[in-house]
Amino acid sequence: MGGKLLSIGECMVELSQAGEGLLRKGFAGDTFNTAWYARACFPSDWSIDYFTAVGDDPLSADMLAMMEGAGIGTSLIRRIPGKTPGLYLITLKDGERTFSYWRDTAAAKKLAEDADHLRAAIEGADIVYFSGITLGILASDAADTLLSEARRAKAMGKTVVFDPNIRPRLWPNKEYMLKTIEDGARASSLVLPSFDDEAVHFGDADEAATIARYKALGVENVVVKNGPGGITLAFGSEPAIHVPSVNVDKVVDTTSAGDSFNGGFLSRLVEGVSPAEAAAHGAAVASTVIRHHGALVSPELLPR
Ligand code: AMP
């Protein structure tokens, strides 16, 4: 039996070096990346929709065309006259990548401003997915709107999934950041944190501490990703279990590792396999993604 996943957040224009002073244009963003991998991995009777706001400029039109070409629904995306998408540039120096962002005036910051539209979109979904980046780009009243709609969805029995994806530079201060991330988790039934972020910002000593902290906030299911160290998951009242990562000899680019894990993991969960098997699939998808350049790896390269 199919359904609909709604991923909420910001997709940006990505400019990367193409040699001889040329730049290559792409599109990416954490929640969009997860929608991309969800589309590649979910059963075909599931629809995957993206929720954001874009402008009415040619770049926004290109972005929507790319999403539609990937099989991701765009009918719920707001088009705001006079606005443009956010943009980032990747600069390579001595093999190290640096990111410069232009996103302060991005249309996506207005994604929660039409609360009725947001509510209707969420009501039409079975799984609602958002992240700490989604919350971080919003003004505090807009973040509150999204949080209250997520709480409402959870109370309606929908699966509400949250990846904390903690990015300090998006937030005005640490206290507000941590409080809002916790509010995001409280509004969710499944939280998918990356241990590195949680250790740095919440001071967790190990994955068990991350799980205990989110469980104490009322999150039923927690899946902690820890790079090559594997995945620790605690579902419902079951004891935590550990699932190994896939061994990757040569990591090319870890961009989107966590986002792709999430898409692969959720795709198996809706098919009714155990959370451990779903995590193994998420790890297999992520291990393929990190062997390739860029956030969006072609679906043909992904494990079935
Ligand atoms: P992270 O958010 O860094 O914990 O990564 C998300 C997922 O990507 C992990 O749970 C792993 O499945 C996979 N992953 C990331 N880095 C590696 C690595 N070096 N080797 C194998 N798998 C990895």
Side-chain angles (χ1 to χ4, degrees):
M1 199 188 67
K4 182 194 270 194
L5 180 146
L6 181 72
S7 182
I8 304 173
E10 179 179 24
C11 182
M12 280 178 288
V13 179
E14 177 192 271
L15 295 180
S16 55
Q17 312 293 326
E20 297 176 10
L22 298 174
L23 293 172
R24 178 177 292 113
K25 181 186 75 182
F27 298 101
D30 70 326
T31 48
F32 177 70
N33 303 342
T34 295
W36 170 275
Y37 291 105
R39 182 61 287 162
C41 299
F42 264 64
S44 56
D45 57 357
W46 273 76
S47 57
I48 309 295
D49 260 74
Y50 197 56
F51 189 98
T52 187
V54 297
D56 57 354
D57 61 315
L59 213 45
S60 295
D62 277 5
M63 184 186 282
L64 295 179
M66 178 279 303
M67 291 177 183
E68 277 155 29
I72 295 167
T74 62
S75 63
L76 298 167
I77 296 178
R78 293 180 64 210
R79 279 85 162 162
I80 304 176
K83 301 295 290 184
T84 50
L87 178 151
Y88 66 97
L89 169 71
I90 307 173
T91 316
L92 257 184
K93 193 157 185 280
D94 306 328
E96 282 292 311
R97 293 163 11 118
T98 310
F99 293 80
S100 307
Y101 291 91
W102 291 263
R103 71 196 310 190
D104 289 351
T105 58
K109 289 173 82 77
K110 300 198 173 295
L111 68 84
E113 283 191 1
D114 183 343
D116 292 341
H117 178 60
L118 177 63
R119 173 170 294 191
I122 288 177
E123 275 178 355
D126 303 281
I127 303 177
V128 178
Y129 179 88
F130 69 119
S131 76
I133 294 179
T134 311
L135 292 172
I137 64 162
L138 299 178
S140 67
D141 55 343
D144 286 345
T145 302
L146 176 57
L147 287 166
S148 87
E149 293 306 324
R151 283 192 288 270
R152 188 168 176 272
K154 183 180 178 181
M156 289 168 81
K158 296 182 188 293
T159 301
V160 180
V161 186
F162 179 65
D163 184 334
N165 248 334
I166 307 173
R167 300 288 180 274
R169 73 157 99 183
L170 291 177
W171 298 90
N173 61 67
K174 180 167 179 173
E175 193 188 7
Y176 174 67
M177 173 177 84
L178 297 185
K179 180 199 166 292
T180 311
I181 297 279
E182 286 182 346
D183 287 345
R186 279 193 196 91
S188 306
S189 48
L190 168 59
V191 174
L192 306 172
S194 285
F195 179 69
D196 280 357
D197 288 351
E198 306 295 316
V200 169
H201 300 291
F202 284 102
D204 296 343
D206 52 23
E207 292 102 318
T210 304
I211 290 172
R213 192 167 46 72
Y214 283 117
K215 289 263 178 180
L217 295 175
V219 183
E220 200 183 340
N221 308 308
V222 184
V223 179
V224 184
K225 298 160 277 181
N226 192 6
I231 301 108
T232 310
L233 52 147
F235 262 60
S237 53
E238 297 288 315
I241 47 176
H242 185 264
V243 173
S245 292
V246 175
N247 193 27
V248 178
D249 288 339
K250 191 169 178 296
V251 175
V252 173
D253 178 0
T254 58
T255 307
S256 211
D259 307 332
S260 61
F261 173 93
N262 297 350
F265 175 72
L266 293 172
S267 76
R268 285 300 195 270
L269 217 52
V270 301
E271 291 191 39
V273 306
S274 70
E277 283 175 75
H281 187 65
V285 171
S287 72
T288 305
V289 170
I290 64 177
R291 288 190 191 101
H292 296 87
H293 283 290
L296 304 177
V297 169
S298 171
E300 297 92 73
L301 298 171
L302 302 176
R304 292 282 140 208

